[in-house]
Amino acid sequence: MKQFFLFLALLITASQIHSQENLPTDYLSKEFHQGRREAFRKLMPANSVAVIFAYPERVFSKDINYNFHQNPDLYYLTGYKEPDAVLLIFKETQGTEQAYNEVFFIREKNAAREMWTGRRLGVDGVKSQLGISNVYNGKDFKDFAVDFKKFDKIIYDNIPVDLRNDNSGFDLSGLLQTFKTKAEIIKEDPVSLEYFRSITCTLREIKTPEEMELMRETVKLSCIAHNEVMKAVGPDMSENEANGIHAYIHKRYGAEDEGYPPIVGAGANGCILHYEENNSTKIDNQLLLMDVGSEYHGYSADVTRTVPANGKFTEEQKAIYQLVYDAQEAVFKICKEGTPLIDLNKTAKEVLANGLIKLGIITDPKDVKLYYPHSCSHFLGLDVHDKGNYSGPTSALKENMIITVEPGIYIPANSKCDKKWWNIGVRIEDDIAIKKDSYENLSAESPRKWQDVEKLAAQKSTFNEIKFPKI
Ligand SMILES: [Mn+2]
């Protein structure tokens, strides 16, 4: 009898999990993912197979996981957003009775589990919603007839080792083990890894029109967030609250998350390149450096603005800010197809070095690296530091690439210069789409000129009017 009720409960559970309503309508299309798999296949060498795994789930706290984030390469190729999956792409058509050139093993549907941990697409869902026709449950990988040894090349990415194993044999750990056994992989093959890196970089560094649209969206809403925070921020606000306004606006406009841990640092904290604590309770009359970008349907923005919390730059802050601005402008000028990537940072460095010498902060141009220790640009897309060919003969800007341009100057306390410069940290970062003969600044909606920043900072924000109870 007890079992009967359990059965009944499962039935009810299963029927209660309806397909989801009111979802965003601007996800990447199945045709996009299909096209990307075709493009991937084209770049594969003869008689090869590519094997792409989902990312692992990670523990946040005891039995609670971090929000799952898909491996951007697998998302790019399939649109699948669940863990415990592996995609095989074959260069040549396989099968005798039924021809296929790809096969996708995914997480099985499970009504009881889905009531706890959310909906699963399942085999039918993947077929209908993602448009992949050859789909099986993960547990079928083991017995799937694929002879890896017959291929000249097996193409795969780094294999993670620190994995949870539920001993089912078909969670990620099980899928990886099956792959390693079938393909007789004892240790990663550098040539396989290089093929994978090269193919994914070559594809992902150029954005398709669909990707470009999502990039515009994610950058646009990140600019709205930056602008609102510029208006809202004041000396009494905490770094964390400023960060929270960004997050609220991202979600208000449909972004799922941030593309990376937000950096919201006041004064000395702004001089720490990857400052992520954001725990200063009072910004005070300091500069606030905000490097924050949303993730919208997988695509990350990466925008930095630096704003005086009290709305007015000091003379010293203004001088440093203007110098960073000038460096950015100089780099923009060479943003077009054909410019070698290496020239971007060279240009930024030159402007910054000359400027720091003029201000008496350094005397030897080589010392620019003391205050500008990073580089000027990276690709932007599904990863905030996106895949692309950063070096080598093909490392020049091409049409439909998206890069950041982000010079900065950071002068921590006790630096060997007049102490009037200490604790000034300025970065200005914009997201740039490359065209044939020019560029488009996708983040132009957020002001960059110091005059415009001051003008916006002088305005009041809706967030200044909201009254919450005291605790
Ligand atoms: Mn960046």
Side-chain angles (χ1 to χ4, degrees):
M1 196 62 177
K2 218 170 170 186
Q3 263 169 354
F4 172 74
F5 278 119
L6 186 68
F7 176 68
L8 201 68
L10 278 179
L11 263 186
I12 292 165
T13 304
S15 61
Q16 273 172 343
I17 300 165
H18 298 293
S19 61
Q20 222 172 338
E21 286 170 13
N22 300 325
L23 283 172
T25 52
D26 58 345
Y27 288 132
L28 291 168
S29 67
K30 46 186 164 188
E31 290 77 19
F32 167 84
H33 298 296
Q34 212 161 17
R36 297 296 81 201
R37 293 197 298 280
E38 284 305 325
F40 190 106
R41 187 173 294 112
K42 265 202 185 131
L43 296 178
M44 290 167 66
N47 194 27
S48 64
V49 55
V51 185
I52 303 115
F53 289 90
Y55 265 177
E57 293 183 279
R58 294 294 188 197
V59 174
F60 171 76
S61 163
K62 199 160 67 74
D63 55 348
I64 305 295
N65 288 337
Y66 281 98
N67 279 345
F68 179 68
H69 192 270
Q70 187 57 283
N71 172 0
D73 286 318
L74 187 65
Y75 176 70
Y76 184 77
L77 294 167
T78 65
Y80 192 62
K81 289 182 274 195
E82 298 175 33
D84 301 328
V86 56
L87 172 73
L88 274 56
I89 300 179
F90 302 94
K91 174 74 175 182
E92 290 87 7
T93 303
Q94 309 289 309
T96 40
E97 281 154 44
Q98 244 180 341
Y100 60 91
N101 59 8
E102 52 198 25
V103 53
F104 195 19
F105 296 93
I106 55 120
R107 200 162 63 144
E108 190 167 18
K109 276 197 82 67
N110 179 330
R113 295 300 307 153
E114 284 179 61
M115 188 167 179
W116 285 91
T117 56
R119 295 176 177 86
R120 298 178 177 193
L121 274 182
V123 170
D124 293 338
V126 171
K127 285 182 180 175
S128 63
Q129 292 184 43
L130 303 181
I132 305 171
S133 50
N134 204 21
V135 188
Y136 297 90
N137 287 315
K139 68 178 181 202
D140 298 325
F141 183 35
K142 211 166 190 166
D143 295 327
F144 188 81
V146 52
D147 178 12
F148 283 104
K149 278 160 277 172
K150 76 170 190 183
F151 296 102
D152 291 333
K153 193 85 293 209
I154 308 170
I155 299 167
Y156 55 88
D157 200 359
N158 292 100
I159 298 173
V161 286
D162 55 336
L163 287 183
R164 201 178 336 171
N165 183 351
D166 70 3
N167 294 313
S168 65
F170 47 88
D171 65 346
L172 181 64
S173 174
L175 293 172
L176 277 162
Q177 197 45 55
T178 299
F179 167 57
K180 287 200 278 190
T181 307
K182 277 176 181 270
E184 292 182 359
I185 292 172
I186 297 153
K187 132 170 159 313
E188 285 173 350
D189 166 27
V191 181
S192 299
L193 298 177
E194 176 50 27
Y195 264 117
F196 188 81
R197 189 207 64 76
S198 163
I199 294 174
T200 49
C201 286
T202 300
L203 293 177
R204 284 177 50 190
E205 69 179 13
I206 307 290
K207 269 63 184 176
T208 71
E210 266 190 79
E211 290 184 286
M212 207 48 108
E213 224 168 280
L214 293 181
M215 284 302 303
R216 280 180 192 287
E217 195 71 23
T218 192
V219 176
K220 188 177 187 168
L221 68 92
S222 297
C223 285
I224 295 174
H226 272 280
N227 292 355
E228 204 57 41
V229 177
M230 274 190 208
K231 291 193 273 177
V233 81
D236 291 329
M237 192 179 271
S238 70
E239 292 172 343
N240 209 15
E241 185 181 355
N243 182 7
I245 296 175
H246 280 280
Y248 173 77
I249 292 173
H250 294 169
K251 294 193 184 225
R252 165 74 177 71
Y253 286 94
E256 288 85 354
D257 212 331
E258 272 75 54
Y260 52 96
I263 299 165
V264 182
N269 297 337
C271 298
I272 302 169
L273 298 180
H274 283 178
Y275 173 74
E276 290 166 9
E277 288 94 341
N278 306 339
N279 57 0
S280 177
T281 56
K282 205 168 178 296
I283 294 167
D284 254 330
N285 292 307
Q286 303 184 92
L287 278 184
L288 183 68
L289 187 155
M290 308 182 290
D291 185 343
V292 190
S294 72
E295 181 184 322
Y296 186 83
H297 301 355
Y299 288 83
S300 183
D302 190 6
V303 179
T304 307
R305 290 294 182 265
T306 307
V307 56
N310 60 16
K312 282 270 174 220
F313 288 96
T314 66
E315 284 312 305
E316 287 75 23
Q317 290 169 349
K318 197 183 290 176
I320 298 295
Y321 189 96
Q322 186 61 41
L323 177 52
V324 174
Y325 178 91
D326 292 343
Q328 216 194 9
E329 286 287 309
V331 177
F332 287 161
K333 284 207 180 78
I334 56 168
C335 281
K336 58 181 175 204
E337 181 153 309
T339 297
L341 284 184
I342 202 162
D343 286 5
L344 301 171
N345 196 44
K346 217 168 86 188
T347 303
K349 225 167 156 178
E350 245 166 51
V351 176
L352 294 175
N354 289 336
L356 287 175
I357 290 171
K358 260 191 209 139
L359 293 172
I361 296 172
I362 57 171
T363 49
D364 183 344
K366 277 201 212 91
D367 284 341
V368 65
K369 65 175 185 293
L370 295 175
Y371 305 114
Y372 172 55
H374 57 83
S375 178
C376 178
S377 297
H378 56 79
F379 295 112
L380 184 66
L382 288 172
D383 290 297
V384 62
H385 300 154
D386 209 30
K387 284 195 159 182
N389 294 297
Y390 283 90
S391 56
T394 52
S395 63
L397 291 178
K398 294 192 196 85
E399 194 178 9
N400 295 324
M401 281 180 168
I402 297 181
I403 60 162
T404 63
V405 174
E406 49 174 313
I409 295 278
Y410 318 89
I411 312 179
N414 301 314
S415 294
K416 285 181 186 139
C417 61
D418 193 321
K419 69 177 190 194
K420 68 178 181 178
W421 303 110
W422 289 0
N423 291 328
I424 296 178
V426 173
R427 178 161 67 253
I428 317 174
E429 176 174 28
D430 285 81
D431 301 340
I432 305 298
I434 303 300
K435 299 178 168 190
K436 273 245 172 298
D437 303 303
S438 61
Y439 69 93
E440 182 188 349
N441 184 355
L442 303 180
S443 43
E445 279 181 44
S446 188
R448 296 168 43 243
K449 280 190 181 145
W450 69 262
Q451 297 91 335
D452 297 337
V453 171
E454 286 193 349
K455 219 178 276 168
L456 195 62
Q459 291 181 30
K460 276 253 165 291
S461 158
T462 319
F463 286 92
N464 298 122
E465 313 301 328
I466 304 174
K467 294 273 175 278
F468 291 105
K470 270 199 168 30
I471 52 166

